[in-house]
Amino acid sequence: MSTTPNPAASINPGSPPDLAARAELSEIDASTRNPAVFFLCSSMLWLLAGTALALIASFKLHTPHFLGDLEWLTFGRARAAHLNTIIYGWSLNASFAVAFWLTARLSRSILRHAGILMAAGVFWNTGVTAGVLGILAGDSTSIEWLEFPAYAAPMLLVAYALIGAWAVITFRFGKSGHIYVSQWYILAALFWFPWLYSIAQIMLLLAPAHGTVQALVNWWFAHNLPGLWFTPIGLGAIYYFLPKVLGKPIHSYHLALLGFWSFAIFSGWTGAARLAGGPVPAWVVTAGIAAGFMMLLPVIVTAINYHLTMTGGFGALKFSPTLRFIVFGAFNYTLAGLIGSLQADRAISETLHFTHFTIAHAHQGMYAFFTMVMFGSIYYILPRLLLREWPSAMLIRVHFWTTATGATLYILALSIGGAIQGWMINALDAQGGLLHPQVLDIVKATLPWLFSRSIAGMLVTIGHLAFAVNFCWMLFRDPAAPRHTAPTLFHDPAETEEPS
Amino acid sequence: MESLFPIIAVTTGAAITATAVYALRWSSKHGQLRDFEKNAASIFDEKEPVGHPTDFFPQKRRKPKTTTPAT
């Protein structure tokens, strides 16, 4: 195994890319240890902070006087701080760790220049800290999904530039010979993110566009960040872990190709559909609606491919923690995709838009799909980084069942509550007047569903605490404890007993 | 600044389209679009072959069977 002398030589197109031989998986895992553990620890801390802020925001919706004396925790600040903590703190840190671990493995190349990633991690988390504190201090931009004050953005962009440079180096020195489908998704996401983030920063913060164009850019960004970053990273992770855990190749590579390219073509257009009924050019919304319905193609194709890969392997759900989370996430990707396409319809949007249904949909995508896939990925990756097994199987089960139940309850409660809210807002009496002219009546009708959301949030919190305890226990357990020498092969299936 | 938006949008759009076309050409030239079924198995190797699951709950090893002496 040889390494390149410095990052400049790695980037230099004139230097030969075949300096290193194809590396062993355990060797690759070891090379990713420091940056991956750093990003995962950061993501874990942000997950706990974001969960606490989520609970506060949720409680305030049905019990407004809760923490009412703290100006830095008013609903407007707590909610925005929750969203940004979870998106930029938990989700992006976790997705960076999973993306570069997968990139290194799939490139069959050891991770070079870990210092670049460590520096990126420091910049990124400093930026997120500045952004979250800024929101809590009242500096929010009030632009959804981009509430971080302008002073946080440069640090995030520097961090991302470092990660992008690292990805190019790793791809260049890849020894796999074939670019696996997961790499397509990850490379595309790495390419799309700087485009999304920089254009949104320019057109919304540095030199804001005027009038409704601002709303268009905002929804282009807010819909594409989950669509063109989190979704491809999540799908890429599923395409790797599902066959890898089962020990059988993905059912159809042809379908994977069709799913990827149709996703790449249509996904970026869908945000405009969320402005149906708004004062924006009709053709923009119509293009968004058409793309929203065309998204049925990649969603259905991907769902079929995952399902056919799982066929005959559902028994593995009993013994693999990774598979449980991944399959739950994949199922929710399909549901969120189908519901998202339906929501693009003008008539349906008329009722459901501006209601809690939208919040349910966002959480189905970002939590039930993406976050659960990240949990599954972390259950697979961390033991291979630390060469230790997870200390407690019981805590993993608590984590899975509380988060799966909590997320399902959350989505059901807010979907039903949101639909009721939409019907009440739009309902007319025989004379064509509003059936519920008092907004307070509509708010009161949503209260039981908002309470249910808080209960679901508490369940999810229990799961996150179980995950955090297991995570820290594993990280800080006695270094003298026995270590496995073959981190990619923990157990032989024949030795595995049925879990209770 | 606003007058620059169409230029930025068209330039970015053209650059992204050009990159996508280049990526497609590169993949075709480098054999990425051939022999899909073989490529689907590229994540497996001799140490983690097809047919070998790789993830299990911890601490779930089956105790070795004890043999009783014949009487």
Side-chain angles (χ1 to χ4, degrees), chain A residues 108 179 195 210 244-245 247 319-320 322 380 384 391 488 495 497, chain B residues 2 12 32 39 43 45 48 51 53-57 59-62:
Chain A
R108 291 308 294 240
I179 303 174
W195 171 50
H210 296 300
K244 195 71 178 163
V245 169
F319 62 75
S320 166
T322 296
Y380 193 91
R384 286 155 177 83
T488 53
E495 293 179 334
E497 70 181 23
Chain B
E2 206 162 330
T12 315
Q32 300 293 327
N39 290 336
I43 56 171
D45 61 14
E48 291 185 356
T54 56
D55 186 64
F56 306 93
F57 272 99
Q59 304 148 4
K60 283 292 168 193
R61 287 174 193 274
R62 182 173 288 163

PDB file of all heavy atoms in Angstrom, chain A residues 108 179 195 210 244-245 247 319-320 322 380 384 391 488 495 497, chain B residues 2 12 32 39 43 45 48 51 53-57 59-62:
ATOM      1  N   ARG A 108     -12.631   1.085  -3.587  1.00  0.00           N
ATOM      2  CA  ARG A 108     -11.611   0.110  -3.174  1.00  0.00           C
ATOM      3  C   ARG A 108     -10.260   0.807  -2.990  1.00  0.00           C
ATOM      4  O   ARG A 108      -9.215   0.317  -3.422  1.00  0.00           O
ATOM      5  CB  ARG A 108     -11.487  -1.019  -4.195  1.00  0.00           C
ATOM      6  CG  ARG A 108     -12.675  -1.935  -4.272  1.00  0.00           C
ATOM      7  CD  ARG A 108     -13.113  -2.496  -2.959  1.00  0.00           C
ATOM      8  NE  ARG A 108     -12.151  -3.403  -2.349  1.00  0.00           N
ATOM      9  CZ  ARG A 108     -12.404  -4.674  -2.063  1.00  0.00           C
ATOM     10  NH1 ARG A 108     -13.577  -5.196  -2.302  1.00  0.00           N
ATOM     11  NH2 ARG A 108     -11.500  -5.416  -1.479  1.00  0.00           N
ATOM     12  N   ILE A 179     -18.121   1.547 -11.453  1.00  0.00           N
ATOM     13  CA  ILE A 179     -18.786   2.497 -10.555  1.00  0.00           C
ATOM     14  C   ILE A 179     -20.130   1.907 -10.183  1.00  0.00           C
ATOM     15  O   ILE A 179     -21.052   1.850 -10.998  1.00  0.00           O
ATOM     16  CB  ILE A 179     -18.956   3.867 -11.234  1.00  0.00           C
ATOM     17  CG1 ILE A 179     -17.587   4.388 -11.673  1.00  0.00           C
ATOM     18  CG2 ILE A 179     -19.600   4.862 -10.285  1.00  0.00           C
ATOM     19  CD1 ILE A 179     -17.663   5.659 -12.475  1.00  0.00           C
ATOM     20  N   TRP A 195     -24.243  23.422  -5.984  1.00  0.00           N
ATOM     21  CA  TRP A 195     -25.091  24.173  -6.915  1.00  0.00           C
ATOM     22  C   TRP A 195     -26.308  24.731  -6.172  1.00  0.00           C
ATOM     23  O   TRP A 195     -26.585  25.931  -6.211  1.00  0.00           O
ATOM     24  CB  TRP A 195     -25.503  23.230  -8.063  1.00  0.00           C
ATOM     25  CG  TRP A 195     -26.541  23.756  -8.996  1.00  0.00           C
ATOM     26  CD1 TRP A 195     -26.542  24.962  -9.621  1.00  0.00           C
ATOM     27  CD2 TRP A 195     -27.730  23.076  -9.414  1.00  0.00           C
ATOM     28  NE1 TRP A 195     -27.655  25.070 -10.422  1.00  0.00           N
ATOM     29  CE2 TRP A 195     -28.393  23.936 -10.315  1.00  0.00           C
ATOM     30  CE3 TRP A 195     -28.283  21.824  -9.138  1.00  0.00           C
ATOM     31  CZ2 TRP A 195     -29.594  23.580 -10.922  1.00  0.00           C
ATOM     32  CZ3 TRP A 195     -29.471  21.465  -9.752  1.00  0.00           C
ATOM     33  CH2 TRP A 195     -30.118  22.332 -10.626  1.00  0.00           C
ATOM     34  N   HIS A 210     -36.297  39.725  -6.208  1.00  0.00           N
ATOM     35  CA  HIS A 210     -37.468  40.451  -5.736  1.00  0.00           C
ATOM     36  C   HIS A 210     -38.752  39.672  -5.992  1.00  0.00           C
ATOM     37  O   HIS A 210     -38.830  38.855  -6.894  1.00  0.00           O
ATOM     38  CB  HIS A 210     -37.560  41.816  -6.426  1.00  0.00           C
ATOM     39  CG  HIS A 210     -36.405  42.699  -6.086  1.00  0.00           C
ATOM     40  ND1 HIS A 210     -36.125  43.087  -4.783  1.00  0.00           N
ATOM     41  CD2 HIS A 210     -35.433  43.262  -6.844  1.00  0.00           C
ATOM     42  CE1 HIS A 210     -35.035  43.847  -4.779  1.00  0.00           C
ATOM     43  NE2 HIS A 210     -34.603  43.965  -6.018  1.00  0.00           N
ATOM     44  N   LYS A 244     -25.667  -6.053   0.528  1.00  0.00           N
ATOM     45  CA  LYS A 244     -24.484  -6.439   1.295  1.00  0.00           C
ATOM     46  C   LYS A 244     -24.881  -7.230   2.544  1.00  0.00           C
ATOM     47  O   LYS A 244     -24.259  -8.240   2.871  1.00  0.00           O
ATOM     48  CB  LYS A 244     -23.726  -5.164   1.688  1.00  0.00           C
ATOM     49  CG  LYS A 244     -22.334  -5.385   2.174  1.00  0.00           C
ATOM     50  CD  LYS A 244     -21.412  -5.788   1.071  1.00  0.00           C
ATOM     51  CE  LYS A 244     -20.003  -5.960   1.592  1.00  0.00           C
ATOM     52  NZ  LYS A 244     -19.189  -6.732   0.653  1.00  0.00           N
ATOM     53  N   VAL A 245     -25.914  -6.753   3.241  1.00  0.00           N
ATOM     54  CA  VAL A 245     -26.342  -7.455   4.457  1.00  0.00           C
ATOM     55  C   VAL A 245     -26.947  -8.803   4.097  1.00  0.00           C
ATOM     56  O   VAL A 245     -26.686  -9.810   4.754  1.00  0.00           O
ATOM     57  CB  VAL A 245     -27.353  -6.586   5.247  1.00  0.00           C
ATOM     58  CG1 VAL A 245     -27.995  -7.399   6.360  1.00  0.00           C
ATOM     59  CG2 VAL A 245     -26.657  -5.363   5.824  1.00  0.00           C
ATOM     60  N   GLY A 247     -26.341 -10.533   1.446  1.00  0.00           N
ATOM     61  CA  GLY A 247     -25.386 -11.412   0.774  1.00  0.00           C
ATOM     62  C   GLY A 247     -25.872 -11.818  -0.607  1.00  0.00           C
ATOM     63  O   GLY A 247     -25.515 -12.889  -1.110  1.00  0.00           O
ATOM     64  N   PHE A 319     -32.411 -10.947  12.347  1.00  0.00           N
ATOM     65  CA  PHE A 319     -31.073 -10.955  12.943  1.00  0.00           C
ATOM     66  C   PHE A 319     -30.196  -9.759  12.571  1.00  0.00           C
ATOM     67  O   PHE A 319     -29.098  -9.624  13.083  1.00  0.00           O
ATOM     68  CB  PHE A 319     -30.343 -12.278  12.655  1.00  0.00           C
ATOM     69  CG  PHE A 319     -30.094 -12.588  11.218  1.00  0.00           C
ATOM     70  CD1 PHE A 319     -29.109 -11.926  10.509  1.00  0.00           C
ATOM     71  CD2 PHE A 319     -30.833 -13.570  10.562  1.00  0.00           C
ATOM     72  CE1 PHE A 319     -28.859 -12.226   9.184  1.00  0.00           C
ATOM     73  CE2 PHE A 319     -30.600 -13.874   9.229  1.00  0.00           C
ATOM     74  CZ  PHE A 319     -29.602 -13.191   8.542  1.00  0.00           C
ATOM     75  N   SER A 320     -30.676  -8.894  11.672  1.00  0.00           N
ATOM     76  CA  SER A 320     -29.814  -7.774  11.279  1.00  0.00           C
ATOM     77  C   SER A 320     -30.412  -6.431  11.685  1.00  0.00           C
ATOM     78  O   SER A 320     -31.449  -6.020  11.163  1.00  0.00           O
ATOM     79  CB  SER A 320     -29.591  -7.784   9.764  1.00  0.00           C
ATOM     80  OG  SER A 320     -29.043  -6.552   9.356  1.00  0.00           O
ATOM     81  N   THR A 322     -29.133  -3.492  10.995  1.00  0.00           N
ATOM     82  CA  THR A 322     -29.016  -2.603   9.834  1.00  0.00           C
ATOM     83  C   THR A 322     -30.200  -2.790   8.898  1.00  0.00           C
ATOM     84  O   THR A 322     -30.821  -1.821   8.445  1.00  0.00           O
ATOM     85  CB  THR A 322     -27.702  -2.897   9.076  1.00  0.00           C
ATOM     86  OG1 THR A 322     -26.621  -2.579   9.943  1.00  0.00           O
ATOM     87  CG2 THR A 322     -27.587  -2.080   7.819  1.00  0.00           C
ATOM     88  N   TYR A 380     -24.069  -0.469  10.858  1.00  0.00           N
ATOM     89  CA  TYR A 380     -23.155  -1.308  10.082  1.00  0.00           C
ATOM     90  C   TYR A 380     -21.727  -0.767  10.127  1.00  0.00           C
ATOM     91  O   TYR A 380     -20.763  -1.523  10.243  1.00  0.00           O
ATOM     92  CB  TYR A 380     -23.644  -1.344   8.623  1.00  0.00           C
ATOM     93  CG  TYR A 380     -23.003  -2.409   7.767  1.00  0.00           C
ATOM     94  CD1 TYR A 380     -23.573  -3.678   7.650  1.00  0.00           C
ATOM     95  CD2 TYR A 380     -21.826  -2.155   7.057  1.00  0.00           C
ATOM     96  CE1 TYR A 380     -23.000  -4.651   6.860  1.00  0.00           C
ATOM     97  CE2 TYR A 380     -21.240  -3.134   6.267  1.00  0.00           C
ATOM     98  CZ  TYR A 380     -21.840  -4.376   6.167  1.00  0.00           C
ATOM     99  OH  TYR A 380     -21.263  -5.353   5.391  1.00  0.00           O
ATOM    100  N   ARG A 384     -17.239  -1.517  12.365  1.00  0.00           N
ATOM    101  CA  ARG A 384     -16.107  -1.751  11.468  1.00  0.00           C
ATOM    102  C   ARG A 384     -15.040  -0.667  11.606  1.00  0.00           C
ATOM    103  O   ARG A 384     -13.896  -0.872  11.232  1.00  0.00           O
ATOM    104  CB  ARG A 384     -16.620  -1.845  10.027  1.00  0.00           C
ATOM    105  CG  ARG A 384     -17.321  -3.166   9.789  1.00  0.00           C
ATOM    106  CD  ARG A 384     -18.324  -3.137   8.679  1.00  0.00           C
ATOM    107  NE  ARG A 384     -18.898  -4.466   8.490  1.00  0.00           N
ATOM    108  CZ  ARG A 384     -19.901  -4.955   9.194  1.00  0.00           C
ATOM    109  NH1 ARG A 384     -20.480  -4.223  10.129  1.00  0.00           N
ATOM    110  NH2 ARG A 384     -20.357  -6.174   8.985  1.00  0.00           N
ATOM    111  N   PRO A 391     -22.549  -2.694  22.140  1.00  0.00           N
ATOM    112  CA  PRO A 391     -22.579  -3.314  23.473  1.00  0.00           C
ATOM    113  C   PRO A 391     -23.926  -3.958  23.814  1.00  0.00           C
ATOM    114  O   PRO A 391     -23.961  -4.948  24.522  1.00  0.00           O
ATOM    115  CB  PRO A 391     -22.296  -2.149  24.427  1.00  0.00           C
ATOM    116  CG  PRO A 391     -21.790  -1.042  23.595  1.00  0.00           C
ATOM    117  CD  PRO A 391     -22.310  -1.254  22.211  1.00  0.00           C
ATOM    118  N   THR A 488     -15.124  -7.048   9.079  1.00  0.00           N
ATOM    119  CA  THR A 488     -16.164  -7.138   8.071  1.00  0.00           C
ATOM    120  C   THR A 488     -16.943  -8.450   8.175  1.00  0.00           C
ATOM    121  O   THR A 488     -17.858  -8.686   7.441  1.00  0.00           O
ATOM    122  CB  THR A 488     -15.558  -7.029   6.666  1.00  0.00           C
ATOM    123  OG1 THR A 488     -14.521  -7.985   6.556  1.00  0.00           O
ATOM    124  CG2 THR A 488     -15.012  -5.649   6.415  1.00  0.00           C
ATOM    125  N   GLU A 495     -23.909 -19.575  13.327  1.00  0.00           N
ATOM    126  CA  GLU A 495     -23.710 -19.416  14.773  1.00  0.00           C
ATOM    127  C   GLU A 495     -24.749 -18.512  15.402  1.00  0.00           C
ATOM    128  O   GLU A 495     -24.755 -18.283  16.588  1.00  0.00           O
ATOM    129  CB  GLU A 495     -22.330 -18.799  15.031  1.00  0.00           C
ATOM    130  CG  GLU A 495     -21.174 -19.694  14.662  1.00  0.00           C
ATOM    131  CD  GLU A 495     -19.865 -18.987  14.928  1.00  0.00           C
ATOM    132  OE1 GLU A 495     -19.842 -17.744  14.902  1.00  0.00           O
ATOM    133  OE2 GLU A 495     -18.886 -19.692  15.183  1.00  0.00           O
ATOM    134  N   GLU A 497     -28.121 -17.281  16.818  1.00  0.00           N
ATOM    135  CA  GLU A 497     -29.347 -17.855  17.362  1.00  0.00           C
ATOM    136  C   GLU A 497     -30.486 -16.880  17.161  1.00  0.00           C
ATOM    137  O   GLU A 497     -30.286 -15.685  16.928  1.00  0.00           O
ATOM    138  CB  GLU A 497     -29.188 -18.182  18.837  1.00  0.00           C
ATOM    139  CG  GLU A 497     -29.102 -16.962  19.733  1.00  0.00           C
ATOM    140  CD  GLU A 497     -28.922 -17.354  21.183  1.00  0.00           C
ATOM    141  OE1 GLU A 497     -28.443 -18.472  21.450  1.00  0.00           O
ATOM    142  OE2 GLU A 497     -29.263 -16.533  22.029  1.00  0.00           O
TER     143      GLU A 497
ATOM    144  N   GLU B   2     -29.601  42.033 -10.427  1.00  0.00           N
ATOM    145  CA  GLU B   2     -30.702  41.178 -10.893  1.00  0.00           C
ATOM    146  C   GLU B   2     -30.569  40.844 -12.373  1.00  0.00           C
ATOM    147  O   GLU B   2     -31.011  39.784 -12.822  1.00  0.00           O
ATOM    148  CB  GLU B   2     -32.045  41.848 -10.624  1.00  0.00           C
ATOM    149  CG  GLU B   2     -33.156  40.822 -10.481  1.00  0.00           C
ATOM    150  CD  GLU B   2     -34.374  41.414  -9.803  1.00  0.00           C
ATOM    151  OE1 GLU B   2     -34.212  42.324  -8.977  1.00  0.00           O
ATOM    152  OE2 GLU B   2     -35.469  40.975 -10.111  1.00  0.00           O
ATOM    153  N   THR B  12     -25.115  28.341 -15.519  1.00  0.00           N
ATOM    154  CA  THR B  12     -25.141  27.173 -14.616  1.00  0.00           C
ATOM    155  C   THR B  12     -25.862  26.007 -15.285  1.00  0.00           C
ATOM    156  O   THR B  12     -25.395  24.866 -15.234  1.00  0.00           O
ATOM    157  CB  THR B  12     -25.867  27.533 -13.302  1.00  0.00           C
ATOM    158  OG1 THR B  12     -25.395  28.783 -12.860  1.00  0.00           O
ATOM    159  CG2 THR B  12     -25.636  26.490 -12.243  1.00  0.00           C
ATOM    160  N   GLN B  32     -18.981   1.324 -18.344  1.00  0.00           N
ATOM    161  CA  GLN B  32     -19.856   1.332 -17.165  1.00  0.00           C
ATOM    162  C   GLN B  32     -21.280   0.906 -17.513  1.00  0.00           C
ATOM    163  O   GLN B  32     -22.063   0.571 -16.634  1.00  0.00           O
ATOM    164  CB  GLN B  32     -19.893   2.733 -16.544  1.00  0.00           C
ATOM    165  CG  GLN B  32     -18.541   3.248 -16.077  1.00  0.00           C
ATOM    166  CD  GLN B  32     -17.998   2.466 -14.907  1.00  0.00           C
ATOM    167  OE1 GLN B  32     -18.740   1.978 -14.072  1.00  0.00           O
ATOM    168  NE2 GLN B  32     -16.685   2.330 -14.849  1.00  0.00           N
ATOM    169  N   ASN B  39     -21.803  -6.399 -12.853  1.00  0.00           N
ATOM    170  CA  ASN B  39     -21.490  -5.207 -12.063  1.00  0.00           C
ATOM    171  C   ASN B  39     -22.288  -5.152 -10.758  1.00  0.00           C
ATOM    172  O   ASN B  39     -21.833  -4.580  -9.771  1.00  0.00           O
ATOM    173  CB  ASN B  39     -21.768  -3.949 -12.887  1.00  0.00           C
ATOM    174  CG  ASN B  39     -20.769  -3.796 -14.008  1.00  0.00           C
ATOM    175  OD1 ASN B  39     -19.666  -4.330 -13.927  1.00  0.00           O
ATOM    176  ND2 ASN B  39     -21.146  -3.106 -15.066  1.00  0.00           N
ATOM    177  N   ILE B  43     -19.854  -5.408  -5.400  1.00  0.00           N
ATOM    178  CA  ILE B  43     -19.630  -5.084  -3.984  1.00  0.00           C
ATOM    179  C   ILE B  43     -19.226  -6.311  -3.173  1.00  0.00           C
ATOM    180  O   ILE B  43     -18.944  -6.204  -1.991  1.00  0.00           O
ATOM    181  CB  ILE B  43     -20.874  -4.425  -3.340  1.00  0.00           C
ATOM    182  CG1 ILE B  43     -22.107  -5.315  -3.494  1.00  0.00           C
ATOM    183  CG2 ILE B  43     -21.122  -3.046  -3.915  1.00  0.00           C
ATOM    184  CD1 ILE B  43     -23.307  -4.822  -2.691  1.00  0.00           C
ATOM    185  N   ASP B  45     -16.705  -9.728  -2.687  1.00  0.00           N
ATOM    186  CA  ASP B  45     -15.374 -10.210  -3.061  1.00  0.00           C
ATOM    187  C   ASP B  45     -15.119 -11.559  -2.389  1.00  0.00           C
ATOM    188  O   ASP B  45     -16.041 -12.151  -1.814  1.00  0.00           O
ATOM    189  CB  ASP B  45     -14.293  -9.173  -2.693  1.00  0.00           C
ATOM    190  CG  ASP B  45     -14.242  -8.879  -1.198  1.00  0.00           C
ATOM    191  OD1 ASP B  45     -14.850  -9.649  -0.419  1.00  0.00           O
ATOM    192  OD2 ASP B  45     -13.608  -7.889  -0.803  1.00  0.00           O
ATOM    193  N   GLU B  48     -15.990 -11.436   1.345  1.00  0.00           N
ATOM    194  CA  GLU B  48     -17.415 -11.247   1.617  1.00  0.00           C
ATOM    195  C   GLU B  48     -18.169 -11.656   0.356  1.00  0.00           C
ATOM    196  O   GLU B  48     -18.676 -10.809  -0.386  1.00  0.00           O
ATOM    197  CB  GLU B  48     -17.704  -9.786   1.987  1.00  0.00           C
ATOM    198  CG  GLU B  48     -17.116  -9.392   3.328  1.00  0.00           C
ATOM    199  CD  GLU B  48     -17.500  -7.968   3.751  1.00  0.00           C
ATOM    200  OE1 GLU B  48     -18.153  -7.264   2.959  1.00  0.00           O
ATOM    201  OE2 GLU B  48     -17.148  -7.573   4.866  1.00  0.00           O
ATOM    202  N   GLY B  51     -23.925 -14.721  -0.982  1.00  0.00           N
ATOM    203  CA  GLY B  51     -24.427 -15.815  -0.152  1.00  0.00           C
ATOM    204  C   GLY B  51     -23.963 -15.723   1.285  1.00  0.00           C
ATOM    205  O   GLY B  51     -24.263 -16.595   2.103  1.00  0.00           O
ATOM    206  N   PRO B  53     -24.286 -13.341   4.439  1.00  0.00           N
ATOM    207  CA  PRO B  53     -24.795 -12.136   5.115  1.00  0.00           C
ATOM    208  C   PRO B  53     -23.715 -11.521   6.006  1.00  0.00           C
ATOM    209  O   PRO B  53     -22.841 -12.223   6.507  1.00  0.00           O
ATOM    210  CB  PRO B  53     -25.959 -12.660   5.959  1.00  0.00           C
ATOM    211  CG  PRO B  53     -26.349 -13.945   5.334  1.00  0.00           C
ATOM    212  CD  PRO B  53     -25.088 -14.532   4.776  1.00  0.00           C
ATOM    213  N   THR B  54     -23.795 -10.200   6.203  1.00  0.00           N
ATOM    214  CA  THR B  54     -22.691  -9.544   6.925  1.00  0.00           C
ATOM    215  C   THR B  54     -23.130  -8.694   8.111  1.00  0.00           C
ATOM    216  O   THR B  54     -22.362  -7.867   8.587  1.00  0.00           O
ATOM    217  CB  THR B  54     -21.894  -8.630   5.969  1.00  0.00           C
ATOM    218  OG1 THR B  54     -22.796  -7.698   5.377  1.00  0.00           O
ATOM    219  CG2 THR B  54     -21.175  -9.400   4.910  1.00  0.00           C
ATOM    220  N   ASP B  55     -24.362  -8.867   8.578  1.00  0.00           N
ATOM    221  CA  ASP B  55     -24.761  -8.031   9.720  1.00  0.00           C
ATOM    222  C   ASP B  55     -25.688  -8.798  10.648  1.00  0.00           C
ATOM    223  O   ASP B  55     -26.652  -9.408  10.191  1.00  0.00           O
ATOM    224  CB  ASP B  55     -25.477  -6.774   9.210  1.00  0.00           C
ATOM    225  CG  ASP B  55     -25.778  -5.808  10.349  1.00  0.00           C
ATOM    226  OD1 ASP B  55     -24.826  -5.302  10.958  1.00  0.00           O
ATOM    227  OD2 ASP B  55     -26.963  -5.587  10.642  1.00  0.00           O
ATOM    228  N   PHE B  56     -25.377  -8.754  11.935  1.00  0.00           N
ATOM    229  CA  PHE B  56     -26.144  -9.511  12.924  1.00  0.00           C
ATOM    230  C   PHE B  56     -26.226  -8.746  14.227  1.00  0.00           C
ATOM    231  O   PHE B  56     -25.373  -7.907  14.505  1.00  0.00           O
ATOM    232  CB  PHE B  56     -25.477 -10.877  13.191  1.00  0.00           C
ATOM    233  CG  PHE B  56     -25.256 -11.659  11.944  1.00  0.00           C
ATOM    234  CD1 PHE B  56     -24.051 -11.566  11.263  1.00  0.00           C
ATOM    235  CD2 PHE B  56     -26.263 -12.435  11.422  1.00  0.00           C
ATOM    236  CE1 PHE B  56     -23.850 -12.247  10.080  1.00  0.00           C
ATOM    237  CE2 PHE B  56     -26.074 -13.123  10.239  1.00  0.00           C
ATOM    238  CZ  PHE B  56     -24.870 -13.036   9.562  1.00  0.00           C
ATOM    239  N   PHE B  57     -27.259  -9.053  15.008  1.00  0.00           N
ATOM    240  CA  PHE B  57     -27.316  -8.467  16.348  1.00  0.00           C
ATOM    241  C   PHE B  57     -26.105  -8.953  17.145  1.00  0.00           C
ATOM    242  O   PHE B  57     -25.664 -10.091  16.969  1.00  0.00           O
ATOM    243  CB  PHE B  57     -28.600  -8.901  17.064  1.00  0.00           C
ATOM    244  CG  PHE B  57     -29.747  -7.986  16.790  1.00  0.00           C
ATOM    245  CD1 PHE B  57     -30.708  -8.310  15.845  1.00  0.00           C
ATOM    246  CD2 PHE B  57     -29.866  -6.782  17.466  1.00  0.00           C
ATOM    247  CE1 PHE B  57     -31.761  -7.454  15.582  1.00  0.00           C
ATOM    248  CE2 PHE B  57     -30.914  -5.929  17.211  1.00  0.00           C
ATOM    249  CZ  PHE B  57     -31.867  -6.263  16.269  1.00  0.00           C
ATOM    250  N   GLN B  59     -23.793 -10.281  20.322  1.00  0.00           N
ATOM    251  CA  GLN B  59     -23.939 -11.213  21.449  1.00  0.00           C
ATOM    252  C   GLN B  59     -24.994 -12.268  21.212  1.00  0.00           C
ATOM    253  O   GLN B  59     -25.808 -12.569  22.067  1.00  0.00           O
ATOM    254  CB  GLN B  59     -24.270 -10.457  22.733  1.00  0.00           C
ATOM    255  CG  GLN B  59     -23.263  -9.400  23.081  1.00  0.00           C
ATOM    256  CD  GLN B  59     -23.886  -8.224  23.791  1.00  0.00           C
ATOM    257  OE1 GLN B  59     -25.063  -8.217  24.087  1.00  0.00           O
ATOM    258  NE2 GLN B  59     -23.089  -7.211  24.071  1.00  0.00           N
ATOM    259  N   LYS B  60     -25.078 -12.751  19.995  1.00  0.00           N
ATOM    260  CA  LYS B  60     -26.073 -13.782  19.731  1.00  0.00           C
ATOM    261  C   LYS B  60     -25.438 -15.042  19.162  1.00  0.00           C
ATOM    262  O   LYS B  60     -25.900 -15.627  18.203  1.00  0.00           O
ATOM    263  CB  LYS B  60     -27.131 -13.248  18.751  1.00  0.00           C
ATOM    264  CG  LYS B  60     -28.132 -12.321  19.410  1.00  0.00           C
ATOM    265  CD  LYS B  60     -29.004 -13.095  20.381  1.00  0.00           C
ATOM    266  CE  LYS B  60     -29.807 -12.143  21.244  1.00  0.00           C
ATOM    267  NZ  LYS B  60     -30.427 -12.826  22.375  1.00  0.00           N
ATOM    268  N   ARG B  61     -24.345 -15.416  19.752  1.00  0.00           N
ATOM    269  CA  ARG B  61     -23.712 -16.656  19.301  1.00  0.00           C
ATOM    270  C   ARG B  61     -24.398 -17.857  19.937  1.00  0.00           C
ATOM    271  O   ARG B  61     -24.792 -17.806  21.095  1.00  0.00           O
ATOM    272  CB  ARG B  61     -22.234 -16.674  19.688  1.00  0.00           C
ATOM    273  CG  ARG B  61     -21.399 -15.736  18.853  1.00  0.00           C
ATOM    274  CD  ARG B  61     -19.994 -15.719  19.401  1.00  0.00           C
ATOM    275  NE  ARG B  61     -19.240 -14.632  18.838  1.00  0.00           N
ATOM    276  CZ  ARG B  61     -18.583 -14.688  17.687  1.00  0.00           C
ATOM    277  NH1 ARG B  61     -18.605 -15.788  16.977  1.00  0.00           N
ATOM    278  NH2 ARG B  61     -17.913 -13.666  17.237  1.00  0.00           N
ATOM    279  N   ARG B  62     -24.506 -18.891  19.126  1.00  0.00           N
ATOM    280  CA  ARG B  62     -25.107 -20.112  19.668  1.00  0.00           C
ATOM    281  C   ARG B  62     -24.065 -20.853  20.492  1.00  0.00           C
ATOM    282  O   ARG B  62     -22.907 -20.962  20.083  1.00  0.00           O
ATOM    283  CB  ARG B  62     -25.584 -20.988  18.511  1.00  0.00           C
ATOM    284  CG  ARG B  62     -26.252 -22.249  18.930  1.00  0.00           C
ATOM    285  CD  ARG B  62     -26.838 -22.952  17.734  1.00  0.00           C
ATOM    286  NE  ARG B  62     -28.020 -22.239  17.249  1.00  0.00           N
ATOM    287  CZ  ARG B  62     -28.536 -22.434  16.039  1.00  0.00           C
ATOM    288  NH1 ARG B  62     -27.967 -23.273  15.204  1.00  0.00           N
ATOM    289  NH2 ARG B  62     -29.616 -21.801  15.670  1.00  0.00           N
TER     290      ARG B  62
END
